[in-house]
Amino acid sequence: MRHQGDANLNHYTLPLLNWPRRIGLAADVYLCNTMMEVYARNGRVPLARRLFEEMPLRDVVTWTSLLSSYVSAGDSPEAFHLFCQMRAEGLEVNQVTMAVLLRACYGSEDKVAGCQLQAFANKAGLQSHELLQNSILSMFSRLACFEEVMKFVIIQNRSIASWNILLSSYSFIGDVSRVVKCYRKMRLEVTPSNETLTLPISAFAKCEHLPGGREVHCNAIKT
């Protein structure tokens, strides 16, 4: 059953789909990219795809927006197909594109594709980007590939987000000793946020590790 909101959305979006062409702005990549983002955020992937096909000019943002639309819709195979098309057309992917594809990997529980993307990112010189590092780390954590997580601990310039992912991973498998080591090492590099502090506290509570909880509580008071 179609909701009234769907009818209202189509009432406005269908005429808008032809609007750039009618007013001579079909070649305005920024405008079309923005419209694609609107369609994607409203779950209108076919409309985003139709606009994409009609655009005479596309950039990496255009392709990434459409990739993200399919990933959000749970259609990982089509997202990877578009990625292959994108590369075939000679476009250089960026860290945002790779982060979107990595999200598709843990959404479809595809470790092999994730490892291949990591290798591709490394070859393309993208792995030094913080966004991509955290996306790879998050993917391995969500796929419970803790060997890869351990290897990835050597990344440089770790941010709060990186430490949060690591703490969550160790907490998930109930490895209290690693939670303690990770927390202590993190405090030498960065100042923990309120969100970060809740991760070890939750882990210690779950494992009934009172000394660890007291340590975090004490540090929270001091800071």
Side-chain angles (χ1 to χ4, degrees):
M1 180 177 180
R2 193 171 73 171
H3 296 285
Q4 182 63 36
D6 293 334
N8 291 338
L9 185 61
N10 285 334
H11 174 74
Y12 291 107
T13 55
L14 290 175
L16 279 174
L17 190 61
N18 298 317
W19 175 57
R21 186 172 61 248
R22 289 206 312 269
I23 63 175
L25 292 176
D28 189 321
V29 179
Y30 178 79
L31 172 64
C32 292
N33 286 348
T34 303
M35 291 181 63
M36 281 183 60
E37 182 69 16
V38 171
Y39 293 141
R41 285 181 179 274
N42 283 279
R44 295 301 189 271
V45 180
L47 290 178
R49 183 61 179 263
R50 180 175 162 188
L51 179 57
F52 173 86
E53 298 292 353
E54 292 181 355
M55 289 174 65
L57 299 173
R58 304 170 188 147
D59 60 12
V60 66
V61 177
T62 313
W63 285 89
T64 302
S65 294
L66 190 60
L67 279 167
S68 183
S69 301
Y70 281 106
V71 172
S72 297
D75 192 347
S76 297
E78 183 59 26
F80 284 112
H81 177 68
L82 280 168
F83 174 62
C84 292
Q85 282 187 297
M86 179 182 180
R87 292 191 60 203
E89 291 197 11
L91 268 77
E92 293 293 331
V93 302
N94 59 23
Q95 64 270 25
V96 178
T97 311
M98 297 300 296
V100 169
L101 288 167
L102 287 164
R103 183 158 52 90
C105 292
Y106 64 71
S108 59
E109 299 184 350
D110 193 340
K111 176 185 173 182
V112 174
C115 290
Q116 290 174 340
L117 285 174
Q118 183 188 18
F120 175 82
N122 190 39
K123 186 176 180 180
L126 296 172
Q127 199 163 329
S128 60
H129 291 276
E130 181 185 326
L131 170 65
L132 193 52
Q133 288 180 345
N134 290 336
S135 296
I136 294 171
L137 192 57
S138 182
M139 176 198 67
F140 284 139
S141 298
R142 295 192 184 203
L143 292 177
C145 302
F146 295 109
E147 279 190 29
E148 283 79 4
V149 170
M150 304 302 182
K151 293 174 185 176
F152 212 67
V153 172
I154 61 173
I155 61 176
Q156 301 297 316
N157 302 319
R158 289 168 290 205
S159 64
I160 284 288
S162 305
W163 286 108
N164 287 351
I165 295 168
L166 287 171
L167 283 166
S168 296
S169 301
Y170 299 143
S171 176
F172 180 77
I173 60 176
D175 193 334
V176 179
S177 64
R178 286 191 179 275
V179 171
V180 172
K181 290 177 182 178
C182 185
Y183 173 69
R184 289 174 178 171
K185 193 170 183 179
M186 173 195 65
R187 292 187 63 241
L188 296 175
E189 295 187 18
V190 296
T191 301
S193 64
N194 291 339
E195 178 189 358
T196 306
L197 291 174
T198 63
L199 294 169
I201 288 174
S202 297
F204 296 141
K206 183 170 63 176
C207 300
E208 299 182 359
H209 192 273
L210 185 58
R214 282 177 171 162
E215 180 180 342
V216 176
H217 186 196
C218 181
N219 292 333
I221 292 172
K222 287 180 179 179
T223 55

